[in-house]
């Protein structure tokens, strides 16, 4: 869609017509901003749930660190073993125990295996980042995104929308957002939460109905909500 100024001051959005004649009606800028505000509001989650998910992220982060440490330790041992093999076959070559052609074959084979292990090692090191911190930023943004949207200028609203959305399709009066990850998961959760509240006539956040009490494992929250924050942030 593209913007047009009518009567010298009113801004309307219309289809560009890039795919032929379109019956999509013109939409006032104020109406576009209002509907996109609802799109942002659809990812909002309440403060108590934000804090609970943070605890789940902490617990899962500790497990993630343990897993990556175990794998990287094993890879480092394998890397050391191969480097020792290369050193030994080089000594055999110098001592005349093997032909140059045999040394080259073994050297190339071990070198290829070493490069593969280094690649896997780097991927595990890169994966072992503090996604708790990043996850917290995402959750806090989701908590306050709608309020921030209402306060901002149109230019700042656009920046926020670009961060949250990959696209938004307009069909008549309907706005169909395509959220970036992990906001798509938050939107799905929020919709399920609203549906359940309507079904039960529940005013308080529905997650309180299933939130474990006391010393229960906080990972329950991640599993029950199906929020794949740990892999997609």
């Amino acid at each position: 869609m593209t913007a047009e100024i009518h009567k010298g001051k009113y801004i309307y959005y219309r289809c560009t017509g890039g795919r032929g004649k379109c019956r999509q009606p013109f939409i006032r800028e104020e109406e576009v901003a209002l509907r996109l505000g609802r799109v942002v509001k659809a990812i909002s989650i309440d403060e108590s749930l934000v804090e609970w998910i943070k605890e789940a992220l902490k617990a899962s982060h500790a497990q993630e660190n343990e897993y990556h440490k175990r794998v990287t330790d094993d890879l480092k041992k394998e890397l050391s073993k191969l480097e020792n093999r290369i050193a030994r076959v080089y000594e055999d070559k110098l001592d005349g125990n093997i032909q140059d052609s045999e040394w080259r074959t073994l050297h190339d084979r071990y070198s290829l295996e070493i490069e593969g292990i280094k690649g896997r090692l780097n991927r595990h090191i890169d994966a072992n980042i503090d996604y708790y911190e990043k996850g917290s930023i995402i959750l806090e943004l989701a908590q306050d995104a709608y309020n921030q949207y209402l306060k901002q200028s149109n230019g700042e609203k656009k920046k926020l929308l670009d961060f949250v959305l990959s696209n938004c399709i307009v069909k008549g009066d309907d706005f169909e957002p395509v959220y970036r990850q992990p906001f798509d998961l938050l939107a799905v959760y929020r919709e399920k939460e609203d549906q359940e509240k309507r079904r039960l006539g529940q005013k308080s956040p529905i997650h309180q109905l299933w939130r474990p009490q006391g010393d229960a494992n906080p990972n329950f929250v991640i599993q029950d909500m199906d929020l794949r924050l740990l892999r997609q942030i």
Side-chain angles (χ1 to χ4, degrees):
M1 302 187 76
T2 186
E4 286 186 356
I5 298 179
H6 290 200
K7 297 182 180 179
K9 59 179 180 179
Y10 301 113
I11 298 177
Y12 285 80
Y13 282 83
R14 66 169 179 83
C15 178
T16 60
R19 298 184 180 180
K21 189 175 181 180
C22 180
R23 296 182 181 179
Q24 174 67 40
F26 284 71
I27 307 177
R28 280 281 299 269
E29 182 181 50
E30 294 81 0
E31 181 65 20
V32 171
L34 178 64
R35 296 188 191 185
L36 289 173
R38 294 171 188 160
V39 166
V40 173
K41 192 174 184 179
I43 65 167
S44 63
I45 53 180
D46 67 90
E47 182 178 358
S48 60
L49 184 57
V50 168
E51 294 306 315
W52 185 250
I53 297 177
K54 283 182 181 180
E55 291 303 313
L57 287 172
K58 281 183 180 179
S60 184
H61 188 203
Q63 296 173 8
E64 187 81 359
N65 282 343
E66 183 180 347
Y67 164 73
H68 285 298
K69 184 179 184 305
R70 185 171 66 252
V71 173
T72 53
D73 285 347
D74 289 342
L75 288 172
K76 286 177 180 178
K77 289 178 183 177
E78 187 65 23
L79 183 63
S80 178
K81 186 187 298 183
L82 287 168
E83 288 173 342
N84 288 334
R85 286 179 182 175
I86 283 185
R88 284 199 302 271
V89 296
Y90 183 68
E91 290 178 359
D92 286 341
K93 171 182 175 273
L94 294 178
D95 293 339
N97 295 327
I98 59 173
Q99 299 292 327
D100 284 354
S101 59
E102 186 179 359
W103 168 79
R104 174 55 62 187
T105 298
L106 291 172
H107 178 275
D108 291 348
R109 191 182 83 188
Y110 293 150
S111 295
L112 187 61
E113 291 181 22
I114 285 173
E115 289 305 310
I117 289 176
K118 284 182 176 179
R120 291 166 59 195
L121 190 58
N122 288 334
R123 285 193 293 273
H124 277 279
I125 292 173
D126 291 341
N128 191 20
I129 59 175
D130 191 358
Y131 55 73
Y132 166 71
E133 181 179 348
K134 292 187 176 181
S136 297
I137 293 172
I138 292 291
L139 291 169
E140 289 169 3
L141 172 61
Q143 179 187 341
D144 198 43
Y146 182 60
N147 290 331
Q148 292 298 319
Y149 178 87
L150 295 177
K151 298 174 185 177
Q152 292 172 345
S153 65
N154 286 343
E156 292 303 310
K157 286 178 180 177
K158 182 180 184 303
K159 290 179 182 178
L160 175 59
L161 290 165
D162 285 342
F163 185 70
V164 171
L165 301 174
S166 62
N167 197 9
C168 190
I169 300 169
V170 181
K171 294 183 178 179
D173 293 333
D174 295 329
F175 277 45
E176 300 179 3
V178 181
Y179 293 98
R180 299 185 189 277
Q181 296 177 343
F183 299 109
D184 56 340
L185 300 171
L186 293 174
V188 168
Y189 168 72
R190 174 63 187 269
E191 176 61 24
K192 289 181 178 179
E193 181 186 56
D194 290 344
Q195 289 175 358
E196 190 67 6
K197 282 195 290 186
R198 289 193 295 268
R199 186 179 72 83
L200 298 175
Q202 182 78 21
K203 293 182 180 180
S204 61
I206 197 64
H207 71 273
Q208 292 179 358
L209 298 177
W210 47 256
R211 179 189 295 182
Q213 302 297 322
D215 297 328
N217 185 354
N219 278 308
F220 176 84
V221 174
I222 295 296
Q223 296 164 5
D224 200 74
M225 291 174 59
D226 191 29
L227 290 179
R228 299 183 300 276
L229 291 169
L230 306 182
R231 296 293 185 273
Q232 298 187 5
I233 293 173

